[in-house]
Structures are given as structure tokens and as C-alpha cells.
Amino acid sequence: MVNIVQFTQSEPHSIINTLLLFGFLALATSCALPRQIAALVAGINLGAVMGAIVATLAVTVGCWLTFSVSRYLLAARVRARYPDKINSLSDFIAEKTFLKVIVIRLLPIGSNFLTNIVAGVSKVSMKAYVSGSLVGFIPQMVIFSLAGSGIRLGAKTELIASGVLFVIALLLTAYLVKVRKKNSKNATSVN
């Protein structure tokens, strides 16, 4: 087996090596590799900017692959077994799907793989789900690509920047959750 990290470090800006890394990360994230690890590997091999771009696109393709397999191969069986749960999930995420998916992706918790499977078996729009995921992935991809680049270069600046961005992402996530809870309470009190 070829060591992908060592292989791409020999010529980090080679188009072929970048495409190989992209394909590997897309396939690996579609099979449950955490997106943060994908960004870290891309940052180590390609630097902060190119690593963030490649990792974001690869993780988005991995998201689409898992969503598609779930939608076209698993959905009928899962819907038949858990119709009430799938219907309530579909109803919840169907309204403002793009924005809700961005919020879900900003949260640094949960399994990307399981989220893609659950979304695939629901009745959400694939376009809104995948595009919302793409936008929601960006902050973590930048943070972990910067960290990977800092590890590669031994640069404190990239490591500090990634830590600051991580804290900002956590604060933004907490704010969005607070707004969501407040909106839910207001909607409940109106009814």
C-alpha cells in the first residue's frame, strides 16, 4: 500500500498528486473518515490555502456520495422500518434546509458519516443539503488545514490562527444554537 502522506509530500504541488489526494479523501470521508482528519492531512500535504480548498471539495464529494448511496440504496428499507422518525426528521429539516444544514455542519460534534446517511434516507433536497454542507464545512476545513500546515512547517502562526478560528467557530455555533432555541420558544408560546 502506498503511503499517501509520504507520496504527496515528495511533490506537494503536483496536479496528479493533488488529484490523488482529493480522490482518496473524498472516498475515505464517504466511508466515515472524520472531515477534520481530511483537512489536517490536506494541510500537511498541500499547505493551508490549497489544503483547505481540496479538503472542503473532497469532503463535499464524500458527503454527496454517502447521501446518494443512502438515498438510493437504503432509504426504502429504513423508511419502512422507522416511518415516524424519518417523517419527523424530514419535516424538521425540509424548511430552510440550506441554513439548518450550515448550522449542523458548524457544530464540531457528531458524525459526518451518520449525518449524511440520516439525511439521505430523509426526504430533504439533495441540492440544499450538499450545498449547505459545503458552506458549513468551510470553517473547520480552514482551521484544520491551517493546523496541518503549521505542523508541516513547524509554524506557530498557523497553529495559533487555527486555534483562534476554532474558538470563533465554537462561539458562532453557540450563538446559532441560542438563537434557534429562542426562536423555538417563541414559536411554542405563540401556539
Side-chain angles (χ1 to χ4, degrees):
M1 181 172 152
V2 176
N3 182 343
I4 194 80
V5 174
Q6 182 182 12
F7 180 66
T8 56
Q9 282 181 334
S10 63
E11 298 178 28
H13 300 293
S14 164
I15 293 173
I16 293 172
N17 289 344
T18 302
L19 290 174
L20 284 171
L21 182 62
F22 170 83
F24 171 77
L25 293 176
L27 199 56
T29 55
S30 75
C31 296
L33 178 76
R35 63 183 185 257
Q36 297 86 348
I37 293 175
L40 192 68
V41 169
I44 290 169
N45 287 289
L46 303 172
V49 174
M50 185 57 84
I53 292 168
V54 168
T56 302
L57 294 175
V59 170
T60 303
V61 169
C63 165
W64 172 78
L65 285 170
T66 306
F67 182 98
S68 297
V69 167
S70 182
R71 164 98 9 123
Y72 299 113
L73 299 179
L74 302 175
R77 285 185 286 193
V78 174
R79 283 185 197 142
R81 188 170 177 133
Y82 305 103
D84 294 336
K85 290 181 181 183
I86 298 301
N87 287 335
S88 66
L89 172 69
S90 294
D91 291 344
F92 167 73
I93 205 164
E95 185 181 322
K96 298 181 183 179
T97 301
F98 181 78
L99 293 174
K100 286 181 181 175
V101 172
I102 290 172
V103 171
I104 289 168
R105 296 309 192 179
L106 288 175
L107 298 171
I109 56 173
S111 167
N112 189 44
F113 180 67
L114 293 176
T115 304
N116 294 337
I117 289 173
V118 169
V121 300
S122 73
K123 296 175 183 173
V124 301
S125 160
M126 181 187 293
K127 181 179 178 182
Y129 179 78
V130 174
S131 60
S133 292
L134 170 67
V135 173
F137 287 149
I138 292 171
Q140 282 192 19
M141 297 299 98
V142 170
I143 291 166
F144 284 91
S145 291
L146 274 169
S149 177
I151 290 169
R152 180 184 74 175
L153 301 174
K156 288 183 182 179
T157 306
E158 280 89 348
L159 292 173
I160 291 169
S162 69
V164 169
L165 286 172
F166 185 71
V167 169
I168 290 170
L170 284 175
L171 293 173
L172 179 60
T173 300
Y175 171 75
L176 291 171
V177 169
K178 182 179 177 180
V179 168
R180 168 78 176 119
K181 286 181 180 180
K182 182 179 177 183
N183 289 341
S184 294
K185 286 180 184 178
N186 289 340
T188 304
S189 64
V190 170
N191 294 331

